[in-house]
Amino acid sequence: MSERLPKSVEIVEVGPRDGLQNEPTVVGTATKLKFINDALDAGIRRIEVASFVNPKRVPQMADAEDVLRALLPREGVQFVGLVLNRKGFERARAAGCTEIGMAVVASDTFNQRNQGATTAESITAWSGIARAAHAAGIRAQITVSAAFGCPFEGDVPVARVVEIAERVADAGPFEIAIADTIGVGVPSQVSEIVGRVRERLPSMPLRFHFHNTRNTGLANAYAAVEAGVRVLDASIGGIGGCPFAPAATGNIPTEDLVFMLNRMGVATGIDLEALIRTGRWLQDQLGRTIPGMLIKAGNFHPRAANA
Ligand code: ZN
């Protein structure tokens, strides 16, 4: 099977946004900045730093502008801002995000609860945002959320995911992400979705976003890489969730994913020891045990173990 694996995979760190957004206690701006800068020092090159949403609904992201203002530009680094509507995009642009991501939910009920609009309305909003982003010289990508299942509607047909992917592709994203927002996906589903989306959009780069709610996150990540996906989201320590998805838990832990890929000979360009240190620091900051396994078990050193 290893001959089917790529030489490298890109990891997008989503902890400062998707991760912290679900933390009950608001984390200070200085802590967020250390989190982001430590992740970059470890080798992360794309990082979701904030979402530009209503601070009354998501108090954790109320300092989005402050975070962006304090971040120094770094060679080859993309500071990603999540937006859900045009107003959010204008804020992200003004704050200096170099990349924006938007999300449309594959089920209408969930999209309505998350964004106060139907899926079709969100796709229309995305088209306008993508146009504005292109005009402003900002990279724009789009996520199809809850693509593996919806907390309100249950199963989401793959045909629906493919249809939405095709519709959002019309606006010219540089990449489409497919998200298991509530953590119900399994590897066979990953392979099927990759294959079916590829049939319709053969040249569109795909990114996958997994939550480990039911412990299938890393298996899903492996299935995605094996199916040809070259970009994955993860959060240091496995923190995170979605405040609008009942019982959704963290993203797949970045350091656990890097460990797995490293041991399979797939490069990520990320310093695993540095990630583990950041994960442990983050655990101290949050004051609770966080899901990542490498921060508990530590890295594996084959030579030391054989000695
Ligand atoms: Zn998520």
Side-chain angles (χ1 to χ4, degrees), residues 14 17-19 48 143 145 179-182 209-211 233 240-242 248-251:
V14 298
R17 200 285 303 171
D18 203 6
E48 261 191 5
T143 294
S145 297
D180 182 11
T181 309
I182 59 166
H209 177 103
F210 297 115
H211 283 262
D233 286 352
C242 172
T249 55
N251 300 102

Side-chain angles (χ1 to χ4, degrees), residues 62-264:
D63 63 350
E65 274 84 357
D66 298 334
V67 169
L68 264 298
R69 197 174 300 124
L71 287 171
L72 300 172
R74 294 201 198 198
E75 183 76 29
V77 167
Q78 302 294 339
F79 293 125
V80 186
L82 182 80
V83 307
L84 297 179
N85 52 38
R86 189 57 181 263
K87 188 179 169 197
F89 168 74
E90 293 304 335
R91 285 178 58 200
R93 185 188 54 72
C97 288
T98 56
E99 175 181 324
I100 60 109
M102 190 186 161
V104 298
V105 189
S107 82
D108 264 321
T109 313
F110 196 0
N111 201 78
Q112 196 71 251
R113 299 235 190 169
N114 195 34
Q115 312 194 10
T118 64
T119 302
E121 286 165 348
S122 285
I123 293 172
T124 303
W126 151 248
S127 300
I129 288 167
R131 244 192 325 274
H134 293 148
I138 297 170
R139 290 153 50 99
Q141 36 88 0
I142 178 83
T143 294
V144 181
S145 297
F148 292 76
C150 167
F152 312 107
E153 295 183 15
D155 276 335
V156 173
V158 178
R160 168 94 173 146
V161 175
V162 173
E163 181 203 327
I164 294 172
E166 282 190 280
R167 286 166 64 193
V168 297
D170 288 342
F174 74 89
E175 170 189 271
I176 293 177
I178 308 285
D180 182 11
T181 309
I182 59 166
V184 292
V186 295
S188 53
Q189 233 178 334
V190 177
S191 315
E192 188 187 2
I193 290 177
V194 174
R196 297 268 299 273
V197 172
R198 277 270 158 74
E199 281 171 15
R200 298 299 187 88
L201 300 168
S203 58
M204 178 63 70
L206 299 179
R207 188 176 94 242
F208 271 71
H209 177 103
F210 297 115
H211 283 262
N212 200 35
T213 316
R214 291 170 180 81
N215 219 14
T216 55
L218 271 191
N220 289 340
Y222 177 78
V225 171
E226 210 259 338
V229 172
R230 298 292 171 260
V231 191
L232 293 169
D233 286 352
S235 73
I236 293 174
I239 62 168
C242 172
F244 310 112
T249 55
N251 300 102
I252 52 173
T254 312
E255 60 280 9
D256 296 8
L257 177 62
V258 168
F259 174 80
M260 182 181 80
L261 293 170
N262 276 353
R263 295 286 295 165
M264 296 194 300

